[in-house]
Amino acid sequence: MTPQVFCATIFLTNLRKVVAELAAQGQPRKAADRFLIRGINQSIVLNLIRSHAPISRPRLAALSGLSQVTVIKIVNSLLERQLILEREGMESTGGRRAGLLELHPEGGFAIGLIPQPDSLTAAIVNLTGDLVETRQWPLTLAGQQQRAVELIADSVEELLSSSELPRARVIGLGLGLSGLIDAERGWCLQSHILGWKELPIREPLEERLGLPVFVDNDVNCLAIYEKLFGLARTCDHALIVAIGRGVGLGLILNGDLYRGAFGGAGEFGHTAVALDGRRCNCGNRGCLETYVSESGIVQNYLEAVQAASAVPLQLDPLWQPPTPTLGEVIARARAGEEAARAAIGRAGLLLGVALANLVNLLNPECIILSSPDTSLGVSDLLLDSLRTTYEQHVFAQMGRGLRFLTVKKPGYESWARGAGSLVLRHFFAPPAQLRAEQGLLES
């Protein structure tokens, strides 16, 4: 089954359910049928242009299974709305040059935001996922639940004003948050890093800004970007692992983002790796992120220094080594300091075992590693240790052909671009899929 046929099958299955739902609400079946089929057909054509550009109308008809008349009508509508461009192509068999179609990058823009405890990072992306502009504000957001929406809205208004971006071309705002997020309702259920709990975000921001707003876990946003535009474009099964203040996981399964039954899939950092391990911010002990996150690696280092300084500690029990930054630990490791190398190696060891468990469970095609910290940048020292323990624990042939990839440009700007991609995912998604995700369909 080709990807186009598979997608069409899923679309039509959802279509039947949506039509049944609309009929139950008293809406005429024929009207609902026409509306949804038109939307699905347009989505198929737009996505084929996105993934196969430059492409001709006859090729679109062949790939989509739609009639040439239908394709021509849809293409004309997309051209009129300036969502696609046409440029002169090769001569056709009839002697006329066949126009080739591609997305119009400036046909629409999305804003992506990544709130952190002490900053807010924004990125503007166009329809092809290219970065147009970035901005970062030093902003205290940790513990500011009551003012969070106001602070974010003010920053977006400032960005729109300074960028001179035509507001009519902004198709939406994406917000990537750490922690447990209810993407359907647009709520932050709990973010230990930000200190937010049960916070509605989408509706208040939409009312304030007059823009569609989409909210999701920050690593899910990163996964969406990698699937649409990045390293996972050719992978239907990919794991996106992010190492920062915590350890996050985005799951691409069967070609799309997987959120789980209640939107909580991917809390990789809170899987247990030590029964009586360190106390985590979540209240449990031995969570992976207490050893592999930025602060976890620093703590690994402090423990390694203490272990190597047994005599001074006996002479002065109150002595504690000064706490370095993660960047300093990595610099010392690269300079050959044993305690620093051991700290990063310990993180890699535990991460390698945890990833082997995931591979044994999910059998992905690739694992993509990312870090917002430019000093870490998924260190070679971490990768070497990771691969060693991963290979020891992966089951049989489960890891055959699996690729480890790293995001080349670390930093929160790339994560903010992922939040913008959350908007683009909704823009390109077929109507039936969106209705299904909004909970309108019953299984």
Side-chain angles (χ1 to χ4, degrees):
M1 181 181 292
T2 67
Q4 290 78 25
V5 172
F6 174 78
C7 290
T9 302
I10 297 297
F11 296 164
L12 292 175
T13 299
N14 285 337
L15 169 62
R16 286 192 290 269
K17 293 179 179 179
V18 171
V19 171
E21 176 71 22
L22 293 174
Q25 297 173 4
Q27 299 188 36
R29 175 170 181 150
K30 289 184 178 179
D33 201 347
R34 285 195 302 272
F35 174 79
L36 285 169
I37 288 177
R38 187 182 304 118
I40 289 170
N41 289 344
Q42 179 174 283
S43 175
I44 291 172
V45 170
L46 190 59
N47 277 287
L48 285 172
I49 294 172
R50 178 178 65 84
S51 58
H52 290 77
I55 186 171
S56 66
R57 291 169 178 80
R59 181 64 175 156
L60 277 175
L63 287 175
S64 66
L66 301 172
S67 70
Q68 290 211 31
V69 172
T70 298
V71 167
I72 289 171
K73 287 181 179 179
I74 293 172
V75 165
N76 288 343
S77 173
L78 295 175
L79 285 168
E80 184 178 345
R81 293 160 60 191
Q82 298 184 8
L83 294 175
I84 61 174
L85 295 171
E86 182 173 13
R87 59 186 178 87
E88 197 174 72
M90 301 292 291
E91 284 193 7
S92 68
T93 55
R96 295 179 57 191
R97 289 188 177 275
L100 296 180
L101 305 165
E102 58 190 27
L103 282 182
H104 184 358
E106 312 304 313
F109 300 90
I111 299 172
L113 296 177
I114 296 291
Q116 288 295 309
D118 53 6
S119 67
L120 178 66
T121 304
I124 299 175
V125 296
N126 62 22
L127 288 187
T128 54
D130 297 323
L131 200 58
V132 175
E133 186 173 339
T134 62
R135 179 75 60 83
Q136 187 172 71
W137 296 268
L139 200 60
T140 301
L141 292 169
Q144 296 290 325
Q145 176 159 328
Q146 299 302 318
R147 298 189 60 223
V149 169
E150 176 189 350
L151 292 170
I152 291 170
D154 288 345
S155 299
V156 173
E157 293 284 10
E158 180 186 326
L159 177 66
L160 288 171
S161 176
S162 63
S163 67
E164 299 182 354
L165 195 68
R167 202 177 187 107
R169 293 264 182 197
V170 179
I171 59 177
L173 170 69
L175 203 65
L177 300 170
S178 60
L180 186 59
I181 309 302
D182 185 336
E184 181 182 323
R185 291 192 300 158
W187 281 48
C188 174
L189 298 181
Q190 184 156 20
S191 173
H192 294 290
I193 290 175
L194 292 170
W196 300 354
K197 187 174 182 180
E198 296 294 333
L199 176 64
I201 296 176
R202 187 189 69 205
E203 288 188 6
L205 271 180
E206 286 183 339
E207 290 176 4
R208 168 73 185 272
L209 297 171
L211 293 171
V213 174
F214 306 94
V215 185
D216 210 330
N217 175 270
D218 51 6
V219 187
N220 282 349
C221 294
L222 192 63
I224 290 169
Y225 172 80
E226 294 299 337
K227 178 56 185 170
L228 286 177
F229 308 108
L231 296 172
R233 278 177 297 179
T234 60
C235 296
D236 284 334
H237 307 276
L239 308 180
I240 291 80
V241 180
I243 304 168
R245 285 186 168 94
V247 179
L249 174 68
L251 295 161
I252 299 295
L253 302 179
N254 294 321
D256 199 8
L257 180 70
Y258 177 75
R259 289 193 178 95
F262 306 106
E267 286 296 334
F268 186 42
H270 296 290
T271 53
V273 294
L275 293 180
D276 297 315
R278 298 171 186 164
R279 175 73 69 178
C280 181
N281 289 332
C282 73
N284 292 330
R285 285 191 176 274
C287 291
L288 178 67
E289 69 178 40
T290 63
Y291 298 92
V292 179
S293 66
E294 296 170 3
S295 60
I297 293 174
V298 171
Q299 185 61 35
N300 293 347
Y301 174 74
L302 294 175
E303 290 181 2
V305 169
Q306 288 178 346
S309 307
V311 174
L313 282 173
Q314 289 174 359
L315 295 175
D316 184 3
L318 298 179
W319 178 83
Q320 292 289 334
T323 301
T325 65
L326 176 63
E328 289 171 339
V329 172
I330 292 170
R332 293 172 190 180
R334 288 172 176 159
E337 183 182 330
E338 286 301 320
R341 293 179 68 86
I344 297 173
R346 186 181 187 186
L349 182 150
L350 293 172
L351 182 58
V353 172
L355 287 176
N357 289 335
L358 283 179
V359 171
N360 294 340
L361 286 169
L362 300 173
N363 190 207
E365 299 165 80
C366 68
I367 295 176
I368 299 171
L369 299 170
S370 176
S371 171
D373 191 295
T374 53
S375 62
L376 179 60
V378 189
S379 162
D380 291 340
L381 295 170
L382 182 74
L383 289 174
D384 290 344
S385 176
L386 180 160
R387 287 194 177 98
T388 298
T389 53
Y390 163 80
E391 290 170 0
Q392 291 173 352
H393 293 279
V394 70
F395 175 70
Q397 299 296 312
M398 293 293 284
R400 183 177 57 189
L402 183 138
R403 294 172 290 154
F404 277 94
L405 306 170
T406 58
V407 174
K408 299 300 181 184
K409 293 184 178 180
Y412 284 114
E413 287 183 0
S414 65
W415 287 39
R417 184 167 58 178
S421 300
L422 177 63
V423 179
L424 298 181
R425 177 180 180 267
H426 281 76
F427 179 76
F428 288 114
Q433 178 182 331
L434 293 181
R435 288 176 180 269
E437 290 184 357
Q438 292 165 359
L440 295 180
L441 306 184
E442 297 180 359
S443 56

